[in-house]
Amino acid sequence: MGSNQLLLVVAALGILITLQLSINGSLIRSFVADLDGEATIDAVSVGEAMVDEIQTKAFDEQVISTRIFDLNLLSTAASLTREGSSETSVPAYEREPFQSKSTFNDADDYNGYTRIVSSPRLGDYNVKDTVYYVSGSNLDSASNTQTWWKKIEVKVTHPNLLFPVTVK
């Protein structure tokens, strides 16, 4: 084999290696995008299920057994949290079966609540809830006083998500 042929073989191998690296890079980027898309769809689903669960509960602790027509009788903005026995009976990072479904009786109980939801394909999603009063004139503005409106924000994180998903 002459030096010209050896030079052609080395150049062909160089081109082949460059082509293979390019193909591998494209496949990896495609795989990462697929995982992010699947994780995003699952995270939105987990977040919406959490919002649906919260919406099945009473608006406020004070309206469970009676009707309230005076805002001042609602729980204060500073006291939007679990009350009584539910505070100790539900673990900080709860896993299925979720005790919150049977223990929590109003939306406030979910403020600061965290849970881990397992997916058979992608593993664990971390879910954190925030519940707060909002102004009636601007539903994106938190209120330090009682109002007839509360906002539920569910933040879902997962290692395959480029950014956390927030469901409101």
Side-chain angles (χ1 to χ4, degrees):
M1 188 186 292
S3 61
N4 286 343
Q5 289 176 332
L6 184 61
L7 188 58
L8 286 174
V9 169
V10 170
L13 283 175
I15 292 171
L16 182 64
I17 289 171
T18 304
L19 182 63
Q20 187 62 44
L21 287 174
S22 176
I23 290 171
N24 286 348
S26 295
L27 289 174
I28 289 172
R29 281 190 296 280
S30 174
F31 183 70
V32 168
D34 287 348
L35 277 179
D36 180 58
E38 185 176 346
T40 300
I41 290 169
D42 282 355
V44 168
S45 177
V46 166
E48 287 179 349
M50 185 84 248
V51 169
D52 290 345
E53 179 183 327
I54 296 171
Q55 289 179 333
T56 65
K57 308 299 181 177
F59 175 75
D60 193 83
E61 179 70 23
Q62 305 305 320
V63 301
I64 291 173
S65 59
T66 184
R67 288 184 169 206
I68 301 287
F69 297 100
D70 182 4
L71 282 174
N72 296 320
L73 298 176
L74 293 174
S75 300
T76 63
S79 68
L80 294 180
T81 186
R82 287 178 252 166
E83 60 280 321
S85 62
S86 65
E87 199 164 317
T88 57
S89 63
V90 178
Y93 274 95
E94 186 180 27
R95 289 185 175 269
E96 268 195 276
F98 302 118
Q99 298 173 28
S100 63
K101 292 180 179 183
S102 59
T103 306
F104 293 173
N105 59 5
D106 66 291
D108 306 349
D109 292 347
Y110 288 89
N111 189 29
Y113 172 68
T114 53
R115 84 169 33 160
I116 298 172
V117 178
S118 294
S119 164
R121 181 159 152 71
L122 294 178
D124 293 343
Y125 289 85
N126 292 319
V127 182
K128 181 168 179 33
D129 301 335
T130 307
V131 180
Y132 54 92
Y133 287 113
V134 292
S135 167
S137 60
N138 183 1
L139 298 178
D140 290 325
S141 174
S143 174
N144 292 327
T145 60
Q146 298 100 315
T147 68
W148 295 118
W149 299 273
K150 288 182 184 171
K151 189 167 200 169
I152 302 167
E153 287 186 3
V154 178
K155 183 178 177 183
V156 183
T157 58
H158 186 273
N160 290 345
L161 286 173
L162 298 177
F163 303 102
V165 171
T166 302
V167 179
K168 300 177 183 185

